[in-house]
Every structure is written in structure tokens, then in C-alpha cells.
Amino acid sequence: QVQLVESGGGLVQAGGSLRLSCAASGSMFSINVMGWYRQAPGKQRALVAAITTGGSTNYADSVKGRFTISRDNAKNTVYLQMNSLKAEDTAVYFCNAVAPSVNYWGKGTQVTVSS
């Protein structure tokens, strides 16, 4: 089992920045990929960014150049640095960890960007 706890969400003005953190605990040896997803009201949950154990990253087109995902393997923590935030970035952001045949999810943290 893996537990994920997100933090760092909040209210920010358009153009501002936030950094989300996801602290992971439990059986981390099985985790290959960690990432962030987001879900806006009335929309499906969608990938924002992901990072492998080796450091390879993948981003949604809508956040490329503005968001940066990173991980500290020693601390079992994944970060999402979000810059130049836009109103359309408003959503609940969920941390995700992928192991063979199972996905783990955090409870989410709200990010609200005011225009």
C-alpha cells in the first residue's frame, strides 16, 4: 500500500505561482511513475505532469513551459511548480503513483486562480 498526501494548494491571482507537494509513504519500491492530475468542475480528471523514477517527464500541452514537475526520491516527495497561472488552471489537483497493476491517489488539493 502507498499513501499520498498533497499540500500547497490555495487561491492565487492570475499570473502568480504555487508549488504543490505530494508526500508518499508505504511500499514505494513498487512505484515506477508519479504524477499530478487535475479535475475541474464538470470535466474529467486529466494528466498534468508525470515523472519516472529515472527523472523522465511528461506534460500536458496546456501547461508546458509554465509547470515543472520534480521529485526528491530520498524524501519520497513529488513537487509541481506552477508559474504563470491562468484561470483555466483552476481545479482540484490529485497526486498519483503508478505501480504494476495498481494506481494510488491522494485526496486532492484545491487550486483556484482568480482572473
Side-chain angles (χ1 to χ4, degrees):
Q1 286 290 334
V2 173
Q3 294 77 42
L4 304 173
V5 179
E6 303 99 336
S7 61
L11 174 64
V12 64
Q13 288 188 334
S17 299
L18 282 175
R19 187 176 84 152
L20 305 183
S21 299
C22 172
S25 60
S27 303
M28 293 300 296
F29 65 88
S30 63
I31 300 302
N32 302 315
V33 181
M34 293 190 70
W36 290 92
Y37 284 69
R38 66 187 180 187
Q39 187 167 18
K43 296 188 177 181
Q44 290 189 331
R45 192 175 297 189
L47 175 69
V48 176
I51 185 167
T52 68
T53 304
S56 297
T57 58
N58 183 39
Y59 295 92
D61 287 343
S62 60
V63 306
K64 284 181 180 177
R66 300 187 299 122
F67 291 10
T68 302
I69 190 170
S70 61
R71 65 190 291 172
D72 184 333
N73 289 329
K75 294 182 178 180
N76 286 333
T77 300
V78 175
Y79 305 97
L80 184 68
Q81 178 65 44
M82 305 186 294
N83 298 329
S84 301
L85 282 161
K86 305 175 181 180
E88 50 263 44
D89 295 318
T90 295
V92 178
Y93 284 70
F94 296 90
C95 183
N96 170 258
V98 180
S101 73
V102 63
N103 267 302
Y104 298 99
W105 294 95
K107 292 183 179 181
T109 185
Q110 177 70 45
V111 171
T112 302
V113 183
S114 63
S115 57

